[in-house]
Amino acid sequence: MKFKITHITIVLFLSMFFVGNAQNKQLRAFTLEDGLPQSQVYAMTQDSKGYLWLGTQGGGLARFDGNDFRVFNEANGLLSNYINALLTQNNTLYIGTKRGLSIKHKSKFTNIETPEINKISLIKNDLFVLTHQGIYKVKENKTVEKIKVHPEIDILQIKDMMFFDGYYWIATQEGLWQLNELSASASTFEKLERNDFAALAGFDHKVFASTFNDGTLVFDSKNVDDVVLIREPLRINDTAILNTDELWIATDNDGISVIDTSTNSELFTLTGINGLSVPNVKQVLQDRQSNIWIATSGGGLYKYFQNNFKHFNTDTGLNGNRVYAVHHKNNAIWISTSEKGLMRIDDFGIHDVDIPEAFSQVKIKTITSDLNGNIWAGSEGRGLLFHGKVISDSIIPDSLKIRKKAFPRTIEVNRVLSTENGFPLDDWIRKIHIDKNTIYAATYSSGIVKFRYDAQRDSLTVLKVFGTQDGIQDLYIKDMVKGDNGQLWYATRNGELGYIQNNKVTHLGAVLDLKTPINSILFHNKTLFLGTAGKGIWWSNDDTFSTFKKLKGAKKGSSENIYQLIFDNQGYLWAGTERGVDKLELDKDNEIKDAFFFGRNDGFLGIETCLNAVDKDANGHLWFGALYGLTEYRPTETDQETKKPKLFLEDVKVANKSVDSIQLISWTNTDKVLKLNPDQRQVSFSFKTVDIDHPNGVEYRYKLNDNDWSPWSSKETQDFSELNFGTHDFLVQSRNHRWKESEPLRFSFYIESPLLKKAWFQWTILGLAILGLAAIAHQYIKRIKRRTTKEKERLELENHLLTLEQKALRLQMNPHFIFNVLNGIKAMAPTKPDKMNETVNSFATLLRETLVNSRKDTISLDQEIKTLKHYVEVERLMAEKQFDYAIELNTDLDAEEILIPPMLIQPFVENAIRHGILKGSRAGKLRIQFDTTDNLLKVSITDNGIGIYSSQQQKPKTDHQSMALTVTRERLESISGKNALEISEIKNSDGSIGGTAIVFTIPLETDY
C-alpha cells in the first residue's frame, strides 16, 4: 500500500542556559541499594490498591509501596524470573514471562506455559497475551486459547495490539495490521505498512505506530492514507500517552523523547543530562498521583515528576555536592561546596570563583556581602576571605608628551584576614554579619570580633573583641543575626542567647532551659524564632524576648532537628531538617495551621540540610544548601489539592490463619458477615493505604463496635483476642501526610456461642430440669398436702390471735386514761359544775373517736390530729394549771391522704402533759409537729416541763403510764425498726433543763 508520508525532523538545541531555566524536572532513582531485586526493569503496572508492580530480568517480580520493595520469584511459585509484561485486573496480577503466563491471585500463582510473552493487553474486558507466536486469549477459568486471526499473523511475534476508533491495530515484527474483528472471518483486514513495529498508542483520532529502527508513523484513524513520519527518535521500545496529550517514547539507546501529539514536535527529552544513568528505557507509566515511572535496562527504576524544586549537584555542574553556605547578591547565588571553594550561579550558568588556593581547600561555612557588593566568606581554620573589587592605577606611556600617565581601573582581588595578619581571635569563623561599614565575625569558640576593613589600603582595624570578660558566657556560637531594634543577636551550642548593642553585651542565658544547641535565629514581624537541635522551633514576641513558647499546632513538622529557618514572601515559615524541608503555615497567634513536608519523593533531593545554608533571592525563590546538592524552590500561587487516600484490607486472620476463602474487597462496607466458630475468638486485621509519594506519612486508626476510635498511628495491623461471642464490627480509617482522611472501612464478623452458652440449649436444659423438679415436687406436695392443711389452720388461728392482741394492746392504754378523766370530772362536780359539763361533752366525743379508731389498722392523719385536739382539750379542762399547745403540719400532702396507726401519738402527748408540763413551775407549752419526706413521716412532740429524767425519778415504780410508753415503743419498733424513737431533754443556754423532746419516724403511707 502506498502512503503520502510527511517527514518531520526534530532538532534539539540544548545549552546550559536552557537547562538552567527549563521547567523543573526531577528524576529519582531506585536501585539495588533501595531494595530493587534487579537493575533491569522491563515491565510495570499499578494495581487498584496503589501498589506499583515491577517485572525484572532475572530478579523476578517486585511490589513497591513507595518505601519498600517486596520480591516474588520462582521460589514463591512464579513461572520465571524473567518478566516482559504486567497487567492487573480485578485484584489479579497477570505476569508475562519468557516461559509463559503466571497469574497471581492473593498469595498463589497459577502458571500456564506459552511462547515467550511480549505484552498483555486488556481490550473490551477481554485479556489478550501477545507472544512470539501469535495471540492468546485468557479464559475465565484461568486457561488460555490461541486466537486464529490470519495465517501470517498467527506465526509472527506480536509486539503490541490495541482497539481504537472501531478497529483492532496489531503491531508485529513484520508489519502493522488493521482489522475490524479479531478473528479469521474479519471483513476488514489490511496490512498498512511493512516494518518491525514495536509499540502502539492512540489519541484524538491519531494512531502512533512506532517502529524499532525507522521512527514513528502517525496515522489518521479515519483516513489511513494520511500518514506523517516522525523520523526521530529511533530504536523505540515502548510508547504511552501521558499527561493527557503527550506521547512519551522510550528508546533503546537515547532515553525518552516527549512529543506534542497536536504538532508532532518534540517537547523535551530525558537523557543522561537530566539524570538517567542509562539510555535504555523499556517502559514508562503514569500512576494515579501523576508521577511518571521509568523502567530501564541496567539503571533500575526512576520516578519523574515536575514540581517547584530545581536541584543542582555534581551532575549539573557543581564541583561538590555538600553545600555549606548560601548567599544571594547581585542577581547571583553564591555557594560553598564541600572543601572546594566558592561557586556562583547566575543567568549564564554555574561558575567557579577564583580564590586563593589555600582558602579553597577548607570548608567555607558562612557567606555574606557588604554594601559595595563585595563577598565575605568565613572558613574553618583559615580565617576570613574578602572577594571584591578595588581601584588600581594603570601606568601607560604618553607618546605625545613622552611621559607616563596613570589611569584608574577596577580590579578583582582576594584578601585573607587571619591571625597571621592581625585578626585578633582564632581563624575558625562561624558567622559574619555586616552593618554598613562595620563587620562582626563570630568565631567557633573565642567570641565575636567587631572590625572595619579598608580594601583599597588592605587595612584591618579591630574595634572591639567580645568575649567572656564582656559578658558572653558561652563562646561556642552557632548563629548570629541582626534584630529588629538594631541588636546583634547570637545563639550558642549550649542553648544560650544574648545580644550586643552599643558595644554592650546582654547575655540572657539558657532561655529555653533545654540544654540543647540553638542552631538558627530568625526575626520576623517583631517575633524571634529559634531553631534547636532535637527540640523543635521556639518563639517569643515580648519586649525582652525572655519567655519562649514552642511552635506547635494541629499539625507538626517532620523533625525536631532544625538546621535552617526562613520565611518566604507568602508568609510561610520554612524549616530545614535532616529529612528535607517543612513548609509551615502559621496563624496570627503563631500556631501551626498546616504543615507541608518535602523530601526526596517530593523533589527535595538534597535530603539533609546544612546549618544556616539558606537564603532568598530577589524573585522570592528560596535556596537550600544540603548534603547532596543545592535546591531552588520557586513558589507558586496554588498547591495541588490532595485526593482522599484509598484504604483496603490486606488480610484477615482467624486463629493466626488467613481467610483465603473470601474476597476481602467485596466483604468490606457490606452486609456480609463472616461466621466464626466458638473457638475462633482471636482475629487479626492487616490494612493498608498505598501512598507512593509519602509512604511514611500515612496513619491509621481503628475501633471495634461502638468503642471510641484509637489514636492515630503508623501501625498497619490490629490483633484482637478473647473476643466476646456475638456480632462484631471492625472499623478502620487512614489519613495521608496532608491529613486527608479515607472513607472508613467496616468488616463484620460473628462468633458463634458454644453449645453450653446457646440460649436454646440453656432453655432446653432448664425446661428438662423444671419438668423433673415439677414431677418430684408434685409427689412431695401430694405427701405433705394433708399435713399443711392442718398447719395452715393453725397459722390462721395464730394470726387472728395476733391481730386481737394488737388491738388489745391499743386498748391497754384506754382504761388508765378513762380512769384519770373520770376522777377529774368527779373532782369538778362540787365546785365547777359548768366546767364539768364541758369536760363530760369533750370526753364523750374523745371516747367515741378512740373506740372507733381502735378498731382500725390505720386512720388518716387529719383524723389523728382531730383526736389529739379533743384529747388535749380534755386535759386542759381537767388541769389545774393552764398551758398552751400547737399542732403544726409541714407537708405538701393533704392530711386526709396520709395514713397513720391509731393511738400511736396520744401516749407521748399524755406523758408530756401529765409528767412534764403539769409538774413544772413555768407556764406550760406543748408543740406537736408533723413533717414528711419522700418516704417518711416524722413526728416531733416537745414540752417545756421538768424533763424526762426528773419526771422518771418522781414516778412510782408501778406507774401504768410507763407500760403505755413501753407498748407504744414496741409498736414503733415493729413499724420502723430499732432506734426509731428518740427521747431527749432540752437544755437551756445556762445548762438548766428546758423540757423534753420526743421524735420518731414511721414509713410514709398514703391512701392513693
Side-chain angles (χ1 to χ4, degrees):
M1 186 174 183
K2 297 181 180 179
F3 302 100
K4 178 184 177 184
I5 299 179
T6 303
H7 297 282
I8 297 179
T9 302
I10 301 174
V11 180
L12 178 65
F13 295 96
L14 290 177
S15 67
M16 201 64 193
F17 176 78
F18 176 82
V19 172
N21 292 275
Q23 192 176 17
N24 299 337
K25 301 178 178 68
Q26 303 294 339
L27 285 173
R28 181 197 168 174
F30 295 88
T31 64
L32 302 180
E33 295 178 356
D34 300 294
L36 190 67
Q38 228 278 347
S39 62
Q40 297 184 70
V41 183
Y42 273 38
M44 297 182 294
T45 189
Q46 189 178 29
D47 64 20
S48 60
K49 297 176 180 178
Y51 285 115
L52 192 66
W53 293 88
L54 311 172
T56 70
Q57 292 293 295
L61 178 70
R63 189 188 74 180
F64 185 52
D65 64 359
N67 198 34
D68 298 313
F69 291 91
R70 183 179 177 185
V71 179
F72 305 85
N73 50 38
E74 293 177 6
N76 304 107
L78 185 64
L79 181 61
S80 171
N81 287 337
Y82 290 84
I83 300 172
N84 299 327
L86 293 171
L87 188 140
T88 61
Q89 183 190 30
N90 298 331
N91 297 309
T92 302
L93 178 66
Y94 297 87
I95 308 155
T97 75
K98 284 191 174 183
R99 293 177 53 192
L101 180 67
S102 274
I103 303 175
K104 183 181 184 299
H105 183 69
K106 294 188 176 179
S107 59
K108 298 177 64 175
F109 288 90
T110 301
N111 297 320
I112 307 169
E113 291 193 2
T114 68
E116 182 175 347
I117 297 174
N118 294 318
K119 195 166 185 178
I120 305 173
S121 297
L122 180 64
I123 300 175
K124 296 183 177 180
N125 294 321
D126 290 326
L127 206 63
F128 297 95
V129 177
L130 314 182
T131 75
H132 275 39
Q133 296 179 22
I135 303 170
Y136 289 78
K137 181 178 179 181
V138 181
K139 301 171 70 175
E140 291 184 1
N141 60 356
K142 300 295 187 295
T143 61
V144 299
E145 64 175 352
K146 189 167 184 179
I147 303 296
K148 294 183 179 181
V149 180
H150 186 273
E152 185 177 355
I153 294 177
D154 295 343
I155 61 173
L156 291 177
Q157 184 179 159
I158 312 298
K159 299 288 191 69
D160 202 355
M161 181 174 74
M162 70 176 184
F163 184 80
F164 184 74
D165 277 355
Y167 290 95
Y168 289 91
W169 300 74
I170 303 176
T172 74
Q173 67 184 111
E174 297 294 336
L176 177 67
W177 305 76
Q178 184 190 45
L179 303 82
N180 69 331
E181 187 178 344
L182 198 63
S183 69
S185 60
S187 59
T188 301
F189 185 92
E190 189 174 5
K191 189 174 183 177
L192 300 179
E193 180 72 16
R194 181 178 299 278
N195 208 320
D196 183 4
F197 281 88
L200 297 170
F203 178 75
D204 194 22
H205 305 301
K206 290 182 179 181
V207 174
F208 298 87
S210 297
T211 67
F212 183 72
N213 269 321
D214 296 318
T216 300
L217 292 172
V218 185
F219 291 87
D220 185 338
S221 63
K222 303 298 183 181
N223 180 14
V224 294
D225 292 334
D226 187 2
V227 185
V228 174
L229 173 63
I230 303 176
R231 187 172 295 279
E232 293 180 350
L234 304 178
R235 300 183 65 83
I236 297 172
N237 290 327
D238 187 39
T239 61
I241 301 294
L242 306 182
N243 293 332
T244 305
D245 59 356
E246 297 174 353
L247 177 68
W248 286 58
I249 303 177
T251 72
D252 187 69
N253 65 342
D254 201 21
I256 296 172
S257 290
V258 181
I259 306 298
D260 186 333
T261 55
S262 61
T263 63
N264 297 329
S265 60
E266 188 173 72
L267 297 173
F268 60 89
T269 61
L270 293 177
T271 62
I273 295 176
N274 309 103
L276 282 179
S277 62
V278 294
N280 192 344
V281 178
K282 292 297 184 182
Q283 186 185 348
V284 289
L285 171 74
Q286 190 163 26
D287 66 21
R288 289 197 293 272
Q289 293 173 268
S290 299
N291 303 306
I292 295 175
W293 297 87
I294 303 170
T296 71
S297 177
L301 176 69
Y302 284 85
K303 178 184 178 183
Y304 167 89
F305 42 86
Q306 297 183 174
N307 55 30
N308 295 26
F309 290 98
K310 181 179 179 182
H311 191 63
F312 301 84
N313 55 22
T314 53
D315 294 332
T316 55
L318 297 187
N319 56 21
N321 278 336
R322 295 200 174 201
V323 179
Y324 290 123
V326 178
H327 178 66
H328 169 259
K329 187 66 177 180
N330 297 334
N331 296 319
I333 298 296
W334 296 74
I335 64 172
S336 66
T337 61
S338 300
E339 297 177 6
K340 299 182 180 179
L342 291 176
M343 301 196 77
R344 186 182 75 253
I345 302 176
D346 55 25
D347 291 339
F348 299 98
I350 303 174
H351 315 277
D352 281 315
V353 178
D354 184 22
I355 59 176
E357 182 178 354
F359 209 88
S360 64
Q361 301 300 316
V362 297
K363 294 179 182 178
I364 297 175
K365 301 303 288 285
T366 180
I367 305 172
T368 190
S369 57
D370 58 25
L371 293 177
N372 297 319
N374 302 310
I375 297 298
W376 287 82
S379 70
E380 288 189 346
R382 297 294 173 85
L384 296 100
L385 171 68
F386 170 85
H387 176 83
K389 296 179 180 180
V390 297
I391 298 175
S392 174
D393 290 335
S394 294
I395 307 298
I396 61 173
D398 188 343
S399 58
L400 297 177
K401 298 183 179 179
I402 313 177
R403 65 184 179 86
K404 296 180 179 180
K405 188 175 182 180
F407 289 91
R409 65 187 181 95
T410 301
I411 61 173
E412 192 173 84
V413 298
N414 290 300
R415 306 270 175 76
V416 176
L417 306 181
S418 66
T419 52
E420 296 180 357
N421 57 12
F423 191 73
L425 298 180
D426 64 61
D427 294 331
W428 294 70
I429 308 300
R430 172 67 75 178
K431 195 67 180 287
I432 305 171
H433 175 75
I434 300 179
D435 186 5
K436 297 180 180 178
N437 62 346
T438 302
I439 304 171
Y440 295 85
T443 65
Y444 272 61
S445 60
S446 301
I448 300 173
V449 180
K450 178 182 178 182
F451 65 94
R452 288 177 182 166
Y453 178 69
D454 188 341
Q456 193 68 34
R457 296 181 176 83
D458 190 16
S459 172
L460 170 67
T461 303
V462 177
L463 301 177
K464 188 171 179 58
V465 176
F466 300 94
T468 54
Q469 70 280 1
D470 301 283
I472 301 180
Q473 299 175 20
D474 182 8
L475 298 178
Y476 293 93
I477 295 174
K478 300 283 284 186
D479 195 14
M480 181 175 67
V481 299
K482 187 175 182 180
D484 295 332
N485 296 325
Q487 306 103 325
L488 185 66
W489 288 81
Y490 61 86
T492 74
R493 188 178 68 184
N494 294 317
E496 300 189 8
L497 190 68
Y499 63 87
I500 300 171
Q501 189 174 29
N502 299 326
N503 287 336
K504 180 182 178 182
V505 174
T506 300
H507 192 80
L508 302 179
V511 292
L512 303 182
D513 196 25
L514 294 175
K515 296 182 180 180
T516 188
I518 298 176
N519 287 333
S520 184
I521 313 174
L522 176 67
F523 279 91
H524 182 75
N525 292 338
K526 297 183 179 180
T527 300
L528 174 58
F529 294 88
L530 304 178
T532 69
K535 299 296 183 180
I537 304 172
W538 297 72
W539 63 276
S540 176
N541 58 5
D542 60 30
D543 294 336
T544 60
F545 299 112
S546 57
T547 303
F548 284 82
K549 300 176 182 178
K550 189 171 184 179
L551 191 65
K552 56 185 179 180
K555 296 187 179 181
K556 61 180 181 179
S558 63
S559 174
E560 297 276 85
N561 290 315
I562 310 300
Y563 299 149
Q564 303 170 348
L565 288 176
I566 193 169
F567 274 92
D568 63 18
N569 289 347
Q570 287 75 37
Y572 292 99
L573 173 63
W574 291 75
T577 73
E578 83 283 4
R579 299 184 58 200
V581 290
D582 290 320
K583 176 183 176 183
L584 307 177
E585 181 182 0
L586 309 183
D587 63 14
K588 60 181 180 62
D589 298 318
N590 287 324
E591 291 279 332
I592 300 176
K593 291 173 56 180
D594 211 343
F596 307 79
F597 169 69
F598 301 94
R600 191 174 182 184
N601 284 349
D602 310 284
F604 193 85
L605 304 184
I607 311 300
E608 183 172 346
T609 58
C610 291
L611 189 65
N612 294 318
V614 63
D615 205 357
K616 180 169 61 178
D617 65 22
N619 296 318
H621 298 182
L622 303 183
W623 296 80
F624 301 94
L627 293 185
Y628 299 101
L630 175 70
T631 299
E632 176 189 10
Y633 174 76
R634 300 181 178 186
T636 55
E637 293 182 358
T638 59
D639 292 320
Q640 184 177 1
E641 180 67 19
T642 305
K643 297 179 180 178
K644 278 187 176 182
K646 188 175 182 180
L647 177 65
F648 59 91
L649 286 179
E650 276 202 311
D651 194 13
V652 176
K653 290 183 178 180
V654 177
N656 297 321
K657 292 183 179 179
S658 295
V659 181
D660 293 327
S661 59
I662 63 173
Q663 288 281 359
L664 293 177
I665 193 170
S666 64
W667 281 64
T668 54
N669 292 341
T670 67
D671 295 331
K672 294 182 180 180
V673 179
L674 180 65
K675 304 290 185 180
L676 301 179
N677 297 326
D679 57 344
Q680 294 177 319
R681 299 174 63 190
Q682 181 179 351
V683 183
S684 302
F685 295 91
S686 298
F687 34 85
K688 183 77 172 179
T689 284
V690 179
D691 189 332
I692 295 291
D693 286 336
H694 302 93
N696 296 322
V698 179
E699 293 182 321
Y700 307 89
R701 65 176 182 175
Y702 68 90
K703 68 176 180 176
L704 188 66
N705 303 326
D706 293 328
N707 296 323
D708 294 334
W709 285 101
S710 68
W712 290 101
S713 75
S714 59
K715 187 179 178 182
E716 297 175 346
T717 60
Q718 182 55 41
D719 302 324
F720 298 99
S721 60
E722 299 301 320
L723 288 168
N724 294 329
F725 304 109
T727 302
H728 297 280
D729 288 323
F730 173 75
L731 289 95
V732 62
Q733 191 177 27
S734 69
R735 68 181 183 187
N736 60 19
H737 71 293
R738 298 291 300 113
W739 284 19
K740 284 276 188 178
E741 296 180 359
S742 72
E743 296 296 333
L745 284 187
R746 175 177 52 80
F747 185 88
S748 302
F749 59 100
Y750 175 81
I751 303 177
E752 191 173 359
S753 300
L755 185 62
L756 292 176
K757 293 193 176 182
K758 289 185 177 180
W760 68 266
F761 181 80
Q762 292 176 345
W763 281 109
T764 300
I765 296 298
L766 181 60
L768 293 174
I770 291 173
L771 288 174
L773 291 174
I776 296 172
H778 179 68
Q779 295 298 324
Y780 178 74
I781 291 171
K782 286 177 68 175
R783 286 198 303 267
I784 66 171
K785 191 172 183 181
R786 287 182 292 272
R787 277 184 278 169
T788 55
T789 301
K790 291 183 179 181
E791 183 69 16
K792 181 180 178 182
E793 292 174 353
R794 183 183 65 81
L795 291 175
E796 288 178 349
L797 179 60
E798 288 183 357
N799 186 52
H800 181 65
L801 292 174
L802 287 174
T803 303
L804 294 175
E805 182 180 354
Q806 282 188 348
K807 291 182 178 180
L809 287 174
R810 292 200 296 267
L811 291 173
Q812 285 179 16
M813 298 175 288
N814 298 338
H816 180 68
F817 168 65
I818 295 171
F819 176 76
N820 291 336
V821 173
L822 292 177
N823 282 339
I825 293 173
K826 180 180 178 181
M828 294 179 192
T831 58
K832 302 176 181 177
D834 295 335
K835 188 176 182 181
M836 180 189 71
N837 291 335
E838 184 181 353
T839 302
V840 169
N841 293 334
S842 296
F843 176 67
T845 302
L846 175 62
L847 189 60
R848 184 174 61 255
E849 290 176 347
T850 302
L851 291 174
V852 172
N853 293 343
S854 66
R855 296 179 176 273
K856 298 179 181 179
D857 292 330
T858 58
I859 61 173
S860 68
L861 181 59
D862 181 64
Q863 182 61 46
E864 178 71 3
I865 292 173
K866 290 179 180 178
T867 302
L868 287 175
K869 286 182 177 179
H870 289 138
Y871 167 73
V872 174
E873 289 296 334
V874 170
E875 290 285 9
R876 291 181 67 190
L877 289 170
M878 293 189 302
E880 298 180 357
K881 175 184 175 183
Q882 291 299 312
F883 63 90
D884 295 327
Y885 77 96
I887 300 177
E888 299 178 5
L889 179 62
N890 298 324
T891 179
D892 294 333
L893 300 175
D894 194 326
E896 292 183 355
E897 297 174 347
I898 301 173
L899 301 179
I900 185 172
M903 297 300 293
L904 193 62
I905 302 172
Q906 186 271 339
F908 298 115
V909 175
E910 181 180 354
N911 202 53
I913 296 172
R914 293 184 174 273
H915 302 286
I917 294 174
L918 298 181
K919 292 183 178 182
S921 58
R922 47 184 176 261
K925 290 184 180 180
L926 174 67
R927 184 170 174 264
I928 304 171
Q929 182 174 332
F930 298 92
D931 298 276
T932 61
T933 63
D934 291 339
N935 302 312
L936 297 173
L937 172 64
K938 179 181 177 182
V939 181
S940 303
I941 304 165
T942 58
D943 64 74
N944 64 344
I946 62 174
I948 187 170
Y949 300 119
S950 298
S951 174
Q952 287 176 346
Q953 291 175 0
Q954 298 178 14
K955 287 182 182 179
K957 294 182 180 180
T958 58
D959 188 4
H960 188 77
Q961 185 63 21
S962 298
M963 180 60 68
L965 288 177
T966 301
V967 172
T968 305
R969 184 188 295 271
E970 291 175 357
R971 290 182 67 195
L972 280 174
E973 290 180 354
S974 66
I975 295 172
S976 302
K978 292 186 177 182
N979 302 319
L981 176 64
E982 295 181 6
I983 302 176
S984 61
E985 288 189 337
I986 301 173
K987 300 286 187 178
N988 294 323
S989 58
D990 59 358
S992 60
I993 302 301
T996 302
I998 300 173
V999 179
F1000 64 85
T1001 58
I1002 60 174
L1004 180 63
E1005 184 179 356
T1006 61
D1007 64 353
Y1008 60 87

